[in-house]
């Protein structure tokens, strides 16, 4: 019996629009979460595929000794794609010339991700393929052609074997971003390793196994592999690489995660406000049903069925709209990315349905319980039950639900706490501020009959309701400001890391008598280049006379040992130089740059601040260096910050100019080449075959392409969040339409003109938006500072401009949306409004 009544009431209320708010809120929550989750997952999968090109696989196992064949076989048995690689150095001989080359032997399945770029001749057009050289052939980089006087088809000796030069090797997907091997790289078929005779017991050889496949299979394989790995073996993905690209990929994923959290927060706010408002609208019908004999259980069943029906229908509609939205968005992004985005998995569907159900249940539970407690006497005394509208339990339950949903979605407690804490701060500040401002409305002394006076009086009259509106507006504005500023900061930071004028070629091993001819060559061809820096390698041997630790290896395959009593050092010999002027992109953070007249001819050194803690250095310390068998000391006079991302020549340690002449050096420079310079630079390298060129142009283009894709993806996600924020504002204004109708009727009855009411309404939304925007801007800036430092590992900074942008955008955004939402109401005549109210 009650089911039939419930369905009849449901149909009537749905036709009247009584359920539209809660329906729209649940649908908003579902479509927001689904579209954000799907798009971000598809973009993330695409970015991971692209960035996997940098290691030619999804994962790789690296070792400095032979890897057990069982590992490769187990990977194949699981269904993973595999490839084998070995790195070693060996001499190449041809045309009476002898050159040391960096050899990479690969199996025929190489590369698993990305492609190798080749040319059929030095003057040929580059093209991309997958695969290894044929047995008996070599692919050589351009520098070896010049050094050995070769052309494609010639014979060359590598170690003990004779091989045919098959192709010109332009680039490999997993080539090191910066390598002293430069343009002396050799690609060899794995089956030809034995023919070279270069790999013998005790040889310095590096082994790698490449794996590609589904993430689940890779995780399962790593679970099996981990217990068997030696201490000197590493399991890597692109995110594990210590490079600007790996860092940027992690930052992009964290940003997309933040966007998803903001979408959930906005949808939850809309749902909480809508559920509360819907239940308030049912107070009178429930009181009437109880007066006519309806039991509490019947009323409970009726409204629980209503909630179930509207939840199921809204989740279905939300999923449908979200699917269409993410499909359109993904196609749009794929067009600009020039790539087909992988399909998303089941996670967006499951999490969207789950969040829709949780929102409907948790945000409606307490208002529904209050609804069942409405006394029948409310029919006669309309204010009975109003005290239930400000339930602290409902507020607390809503906040806990939002926190748990954010935590579940992000799986990062720190991130959730920062965002949730900043939201609570907005709520607290706005409650206090709204009380202060609205209670002072009557003391402003504005002239009777003015629109401003009426607007402030209206704000004061609905202080509690306006406080809730302020919080909703401020949260939407805060989240939008947050994403806009963070997006701009991230993209600006990425562009600084790979600037447009960044060098794309490095020249190393330049003799002193070759510096002037090279300078003239660059000037003649209008090639932008950096200075020529003297360079030498040195070991940091001691500090203040105390020797640094030396690592001592036992038998091959065993763990390294070190003397724990010695001071910690560094594991590499850095490139050092001497300069008279502080290089561009460097900034003194402590101490002073070299003086013109050094005391007693002592050598001074300026140290990269990242090595200050690593070596436990202080100003005035004496650092001992070892170059071959020659030792010298230098006094630390300053620490520097270094912009490594500029790709300009930079050094961890710079010595004072009086170091010149004491150590034999070669010179190092960088230049930005264009396609038109290719022939000229090739001729120059033929003329100076001892110079090595490191071409990173393709690597830069690949990195910049991925950054552009991430930026576009972030822009799309930001658009979704902005739309969600606008819908939250719409739902909040819509919830107050009934009360505003009553005010318009009363004001018209008292003789107020239409212009006065319209301006008062506009001013009311202007004030609400400006106040909400100001508080949102200040709190957002504080939260941004923390997020940038804790989540993105960058030096945070304040953004004073958003303190002005927040109030202006808030006032404009809220007033436009709010005014047009109530404009239809104000255009109706009094008789029509009375009918709607009734």
């Amino acid at each position: 019996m009650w089911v039939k009544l419930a369905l009849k009431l449901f149909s009537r209320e749905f036709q009247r629009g009584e359920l539209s708010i809660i329906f729209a809120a649940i649908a908003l929550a579902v479509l927001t979460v689904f579209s954000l989750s799907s798009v971000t997952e598809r973009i993330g999968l695409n970015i991971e595929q692209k960035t996997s090109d940098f290691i030619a696989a999804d994962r790789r196992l690296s070792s400095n000794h032979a890897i057990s064949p069982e590992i490769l076989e187990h990977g194949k048995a699981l269904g993973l794609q595999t490839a084998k690689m070995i790195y070693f150095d060996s001499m190449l001989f041809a045309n009476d010339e002898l050159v040391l080359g960096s050899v990479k032997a690969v199996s025929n399945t190489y590369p698993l991700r990305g492609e190798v770029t080749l040319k059929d001749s030095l003057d040929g057009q580059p093209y991309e393929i997958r695969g290894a050289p044929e047995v008996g052939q070599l692919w050589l980089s351009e520098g070896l052609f010049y050094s050995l006087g070769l052309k494609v088809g010639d014979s060359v000796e590598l170690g003990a074997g004779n091989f045919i030069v098959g192709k010109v090797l332009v680039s490999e997907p997993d080539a090191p971003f910066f390598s002293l091997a430069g343009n002396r790289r050799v690609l060899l078929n794995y089956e030809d390793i034995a023919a070279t005779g270069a790999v013998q017991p005790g040889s310095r050889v590096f082994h790698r196994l490449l794996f590609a496949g589904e993430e689940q299979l890779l995780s399962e394989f790593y679970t099996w592999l981990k217990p068997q790995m030696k201490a000197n073996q590493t399991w890597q993905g692109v995110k594990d690489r210590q490079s600007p690209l790996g860092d940027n990929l992690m930052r992009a994923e964290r940003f997309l995660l933040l966007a998803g959290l903001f979408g959930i927060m906005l949808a939850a706010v809309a749902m909480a406000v809508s559920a509360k408002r819907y239940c308030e609208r049912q107070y009178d019908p429930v009181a009437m049903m109880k007066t006519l004999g309806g039991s509490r259980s019947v009323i409970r069943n009726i409204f629980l069925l209503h909630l179930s029906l509207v939840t199921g229908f809204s989740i279905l509609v939300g999923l449908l709209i979200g699917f269409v939205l993410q499909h359109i968005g993904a196609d749009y992004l794929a067009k600009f990315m020039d790539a087909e985005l992988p399909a998303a998995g089941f996670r967006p569907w499951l999490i969207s349905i789950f969040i829709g159900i949780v929102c409907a249940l948790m945000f409606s539970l307490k208002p529904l319980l209050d609804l069942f407690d409405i006394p029948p006497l409310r029919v006669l005394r309309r204010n009975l039950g109003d005290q239930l509208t400000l339930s602290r339990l409902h507020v607390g339950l809503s906040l806990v639900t939002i926190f748990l949903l954010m935590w579940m979605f992000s799986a990062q407690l720190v991130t959730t706490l920062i965002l949730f804490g900043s939201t609570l701060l907005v709520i607290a500040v706005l409650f206090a501020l709204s009380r202060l401002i609205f209670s002072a409305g009557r003391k402003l002394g504005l002239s009777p009959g003015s629109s401003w006076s009426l607007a402030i009086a209206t704000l004061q009259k609905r202080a509690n309701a306006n406080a809730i509106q302020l919080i909703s507006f401020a949260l939407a504005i805060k989240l939008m400001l947050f994403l806009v500023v963070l997006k701009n900061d991230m993209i600006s930071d990425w562009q600084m890391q790979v600037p447009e004028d960044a060098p794309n070629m490095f020249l190393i091993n330049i003799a002193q008598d070759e510096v002037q001819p090279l300078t003239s060559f660059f000037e003649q061809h209008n090639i932008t280049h950096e200075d020529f820096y003297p360079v030498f390698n040195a070991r940091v041997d001691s500090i203040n006379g105390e020797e640094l630790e030396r690592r001592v290896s036992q038998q091959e395959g065993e763990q390294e040992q070190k003397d724990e009593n010695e001071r910690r050092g560094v594991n590499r010999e850095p490139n050092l130089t001497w300069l008279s002027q502080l290089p561009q992109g460097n900034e003194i953070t402590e101490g002073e740059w070299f003086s013109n007249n050094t005391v007693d001819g002592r050598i001074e050194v300026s140290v990269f601040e990242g090595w200050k803690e690593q070596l436990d250095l202080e100003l005035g310390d004496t650092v001992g260096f070892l170059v071959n068998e020659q030792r010298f000391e230098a006094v630390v006079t300053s620490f520097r910050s270094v912009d490594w991302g500029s790709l300009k020549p930079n050094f961890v340690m710079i010595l004072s100019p009086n170091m010149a002449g004491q150590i034999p050096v070669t010179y190092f420079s960088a230049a930005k080449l264009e396609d038109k310079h290719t022939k000229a630079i090739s001729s120059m390298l033929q003329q100076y075959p001892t110079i090595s060129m490191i071409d990173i142009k393709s690597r830069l283009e690949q990195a910049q392409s991925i950054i552009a894709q991430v930026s576009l993806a972030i822009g799309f996600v930001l658009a979704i969040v902005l739309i969600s924020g606008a819908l939250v504002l719409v739902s909040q204004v819509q919830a107050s339409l009934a009360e505003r109708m009553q005010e318009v009727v009363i004001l018209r009855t008292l003789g107020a003109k239409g212009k006065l009411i319209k301006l008062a309404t506009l001013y009311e939304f202007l004030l609400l938006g400006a106040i909400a925007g100001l508080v949102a801007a200040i709190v957002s800036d504080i939260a941004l500072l923390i997020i940038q430092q804790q989540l993105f590992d960058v030096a945070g900074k304040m953004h004073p401009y958003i303190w002005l942008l927040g109030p202006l955008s808030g006032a404009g955004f809220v007033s436009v949306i709010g005014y047009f939402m109530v404009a239809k109401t104000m255009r109706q005549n009094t008789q029509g409004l009375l009918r709607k109210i009734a």
Side-chain angles (χ1 to χ4, degrees):
M1 182 69 179
W2 66 267
V3 175
K4 184 177 180 180
L5 176 61
L7 293 175
K8 187 175 182 179
L9 289 174
F10 179 81
S11 176
R12 182 178 300 174
E13 289 187 2
F14 205 84
Q15 291 175 7
R16 292 174 54 192
E18 291 294 325
L19 291 171
S20 62
I21 299 176
I22 194 167
F23 169 82
I26 299 176
L28 169 64
V30 173
L31 76 89
T32 300
V33 173
F34 183 83
S35 56
L36 281 174
S37 300
S38 299
V39 172
T40 53
E41 182 174 325
R42 296 181 69 177
I43 292 170
L45 289 172
N46 180 68
I47 292 172
E48 285 189 13
Q49 288 181 3
K50 292 290 185 183
T51 50
S52 293
D53 294 353
F54 279 81
I55 59 173
D58 293 330
R59 301 288 190 279
R60 70 184 180 196
L61 177 64
S62 302
S63 175
N64 59 8
H65 58 80
I67 302 174
S68 170
E70 180 186 359
I71 294 177
L72 192 67
E73 294 303 321
H74 188 76
K76 290 180 179 179
L78 285 177
L80 295 174
Q81 302 174 53
T82 61
K84 296 185 292 184
M85 297 170 52
I86 285 184
Y87 289 88
F88 60 92
D89 292 336
S90 184
M91 302 302 297
L92 291 98
F93 180 77
N95 300 325
D96 297 328
E97 297 288 344
L98 193 65
V99 174
L100 179 65
S102 178
V103 183
K104 179 167 69 176
V106 297
S107 60
N108 291 324
T109 53
Y110 170 87
L112 302 180
R113 296 284 186 258
E115 294 177 318
V116 180
T117 304
L118 302 172
K119 293 194 298 186
D120 291 329
S121 65
L122 286 173
D123 298 328
Q125 292 298 315
Y127 58 91
E128 296 178 336
I129 68 165
R130 283 190 176 183
E134 296 180 7
V135 174
Q137 285 193 4
L138 297 177
W139 294 345
L140 306 180
S141 61
E142 291 189 29
L144 288 171
F145 281 85
Y146 303 136
S147 299
L148 297 172
L150 294 170
K151 62 181 181 296
V152 173
D154 285 352
S155 177
V156 63
E157 294 182 23
L158 175 63
N162 273 294
F163 299 90
I164 300 298
V165 179
K167 305 285 183 183
V168 180
L169 178 62
V170 179
S171 66
E172 315 120 87
D174 58 337
F177 196 75
F178 183 89
S179 169
L180 292 180
N183 58 340
R184 296 182 178 180
R185 305 187 317 279
V186 181
L187 206 61
L188 174 75
N189 192 291
Y190 199 89
E191 301 298 325
D192 282 331
I193 294 175
T196 67
V199 179
Q200 303 290 338
S203 299
R204 185 176 175 84
V205 179
F206 299 94
H207 300 257
R208 280 181 182 168
L209 295 182
L210 305 183
F211 300 90
E214 296 180 2
E215 195 66 29
Q216 182 179 354
L217 293 179
L218 290 167
S219 298
E220 183 180 343
F221 177 71
Y222 180 60
T223 301
W224 173 85
L225 173 68
K226 188 175 181 180
Q228 307 179 54
M229 288 177 58
K230 301 292 192 290
N232 54 4
Q233 293 179 333
T234 57
W235 177 255
Q236 293 177 305
V238 68
K239 297 176 189 175
D240 302 315
R241 302 189 80 185
Q242 299 299 315
S243 67
L245 177 67
D247 293 341
N248 286 338
L249 179 59
M250 294 297 292
R251 291 183 189 179
E253 290 187 344
R254 289 168 182 166
F255 183 93
L256 298 178
L257 173 67
L258 281 179
L261 288 177
F262 291 157
I264 290 178
M265 188 180 292
L266 288 171
V269 170
M271 180 62 207
V273 172
S274 302
K276 174 178 172 292
R277 181 58 183 167
Y278 169 73
C279 291
E280 288 175 6
R281 289 184 174 188
Q282 304 306 314
Y283 285 176
D284 291 340
V286 168
M288 184 66 70
M289 281 190 281
K290 285 187 175 182
T291 303
L292 297 176
S295 65
R296 178 185 175 91
S297 61
V298 170
I299 295 173
R300 181 187 62 227
N301 292 339
I302 288 174
F303 283 99
L304 287 178
L305 180 60
H306 285 186
L307 179 63
S308 300
L309 289 173
V310 76
T311 300
F313 188 47
S314 57
I315 287 177
L316 184 62
V317 172
L319 289 174
L320 180 61
I321 298 175
F323 178 79
V324 173
L325 183 63
Q326 68 86 25
H327 186 71
I328 294 173
D331 287 347
Y332 175 80
L333 291 173
K335 183 188 299 183
F336 280 88
M337 291 180 178
D338 193 23
E340 184 176 350
L341 296 183
F346 290 105
R347 184 176 181 273
W349 295 90
L350 296 176
I351 195 172
S352 301
I353 294 172
F354 177 77
I355 286 177
I357 294 174
V358 169
C359 286
L361 179 63
M362 299 304 293
F363 296 134
S364 302
L365 184 61
K366 185 58 175 67
L368 279 175
L369 293 176
D370 291 343
L371 180 61
F372 304 148
D373 290 333
I374 292 297
L377 281 177
R378 183 179 171 89
V379 175
L380 300 176
R381 297 175 57 187
R382 299 294 301 279
N383 62 335
L384 287 179
D386 286 349
Q387 69 275 11
L388 299 174
T389 61
L390 295 177
S391 171
R392 294 180 181 178
L393 181 59
H394 175 54
V395 173
L397 195 62
S398 299
L399 291 176
V400 171
T401 303
I402 292 174
F403 178 81
L404 293 177
L405 288 176
M406 293 172 62
W407 189 9
M408 180 198 72
F409 186 80
S410 68
Q412 294 187 5
L413 182 59
V414 175
T415 304
T416 304
L417 285 173
I418 293 174
L419 295 179
F420 191 74
S422 65
T423 301
L424 291 181
L425 180 60
V426 170
I427 293 173
V429 171
L430 282 175
F431 257 123
L433 197 59
S434 63
R435 291 287 183 180
L436 177 64
I437 294 176
F438 301 152
S439 63
R442 294 178 180 175
K443 303 177 182 179
L444 294 179
L446 295 177
S447 60
S450 73
S451 299
W452 280 108
S453 180
L454 182 57
I456 293 176
T458 304
L459 290 175
Q460 194 277 334
K461 174 179 173 291
R462 290 203 309 265
N464 290 331
N466 284 329
I468 300 297
Q469 282 193 334
L470 262 181
I471 291 170
S472 298
F473 294 158
L475 287 179
I477 296 169
K478 167 183 172 286
L479 299 182
M480 289 185 283
L481 283 176
F482 202 107
L483 285 183
V484 169
V485 175
L486 190 56
K487 171 183 178 291
N488 292 338
D489 279 3
M490 285 179 61
I491 292 179
S492 174
D493 183 49
W494 291 344
Q495 289 172 342
M496 288 175 61
Q497 288 187 7
V498 189
E500 288 294 328
D501 62 343
N504 55 20
M505 180 201 72
F506 295 93
L507 293 172
I508 60 175
N509 200 35
I510 304 171
Q512 186 170 2
D513 59 357
E514 295 172 334
V515 171
Q516 184 55 45
L518 280 179
T519 303
S520 301
F521 170 82
F522 286 142
E523 291 176 354
Q524 178 183 352
H525 294 87
N526 295 319
I527 297 175
T528 303
H529 68 95
E530 303 295 322
D531 293 335
F532 289 85
Y533 296 89
V535 176
F536 65 96
N537 295 102
R539 172 185 169 83
V540 180
D541 196 49
S542 65
I543 297 176
N544 296 327
E546 179 184 354
E547 290 191 1
L548 301 180
E549 66 184 23
R550 287 181 173 83
R551 297 198 172 192
V552 181
S553 178
Q554 294 182 334
Q555 299 299 318
E556 182 180 359
E558 296 186 2
Q559 295 185 6
E560 292 179 328
Q561 290 186 335
K562 59 183 179 182
D563 188 346
E564 298 293 344
N565 296 323
E566 290 187 345
R567 187 166 180 165
R568 180 168 58 93
V570 291
N571 299 325
R572 63 186 179 92
E573 294 185 358
N575 290 319
L576 305 184
T577 189
W578 57 78
L579 296 172
S580 58
Q581 300 293 328
L582 184 68
Q584 184 181 0
N586 289 231
E587 183 177 345
I588 299 294
T589 57
E590 188 178 353
E592 296 181 356
W593 186 246
F594 308 130
S595 56
N596 292 329
N597 298 315
T598 55
V599 179
D600 298 329
R602 73 173 186 178
I603 300 171
E604 298 176 348
V605 61
S606 176
V607 182
F608 165 52
E609 62 180 358
W611 278 31
K612 178 181 178 181
E613 293 184 6
Q614 190 171 354
L615 292 173
D616 193 19
L617 289 172
E618 296 180 358
L619 293 177
D621 283 349
T622 300
V623 180
F625 296 92
L626 178 63
V627 182
N628 297 325
E629 296 182 355
Q630 182 177 347
R631 296 178 183 272
F632 67 92
E633 293 183 339
V635 178
V636 178
T637 57
S638 65
F639 295 102
R640 294 169 290 114
S641 63
V642 180
D643 180 14
W644 299 102
S646 67
L647 297 181
K648 296 179 182 295
N650 279 307
F651 303 88
V652 291
M653 291 187 173
I654 300 177
L655 299 165
S656 54
N658 60 339
M659 184 68 195
Q662 300 189 30
I663 295 290
V665 297
T666 58
Y667 286 79
F668 163 71
S669 186
K672 182 173 177 60
L673 297 184
E674 300 176 14
D675 292 339
K676 63 182 181 181
H677 300 139
T678 302
K679 290 186 177 180
I681 201 72
S682 297
S683 300
M684 184 271 291
L685 290 174
Q686 285 180 304
Q687 187 177 355
Y688 301 101
T690 59
I691 296 176
S692 290
M693 182 185 78
I694 304 172
D695 186 359
I696 62 170
K697 182 179 179 181
S698 60
R699 308 289 283 173
L700 281 177
E701 290 175 350
Q702 192 174 9
Q704 289 172 334
S705 172
I706 290 175
I707 290 174
Q709 292 181 20
V710 173
S711 301
L712 185 62
I714 288 174
F716 179 78
V717 171
L718 178 60
I720 295 179
V721 174
L722 289 175
I723 294 172
S724 300
L727 292 176
V728 168
L729 297 182
V730 169
S731 65
Q732 182 61 265
V733 174
Q734 188 176 359
S736 65
L737 280 180
E739 190 174 354
R740 293 183 182 278
M741 288 181 189
Q742 293 178 351
E743 291 177 356
V744 172
V745 170
I746 294 172
L747 289 171
R748 286 180 178 174
T749 303
L750 296 175
K753 295 181 179 180
K755 183 179 179 181
L756 176 69
I757 299 174
K758 290 180 180 179
L759 287 177
T761 304
L762 180 62
Y763 295 157
E764 179 187 352
F765 284 118
L766 276 172
L767 287 172
L768 286 173
I771 296 170
L774 177 61
V775 176
I778 296 174
V779 175
S780 293
D781 213 9
I782 297 172
L784 273 169
L785 183 65
I786 300 173
I787 282 285
Q788 287 177 318
Q789 294 175 344
Q790 299 298 322
L791 190 61
F792 293 97
D793 299 322
V794 297
K797 61 181 180 180
M798 301 296 285
H799 307 83
Y801 69 90
I802 70 171
W803 297 8
L804 179 62
L805 178 63
L808 291 178
S809 61
F813 194 49
V814 173
S815 61
V816 169
I817 292 179
Y819 182 79
F820 282 101
M821 281 292 296
V822 300
K824 184 178 179 181
T825 297
M826 291 185 291
R827 285 196 298 266
Q828 292 181 350
N829 57 39
T830 305
Q831 187 178 3
L833 292 176
L834 285 172
R835 285 200 190 103
K836 282 197 171 184
I837 295 172

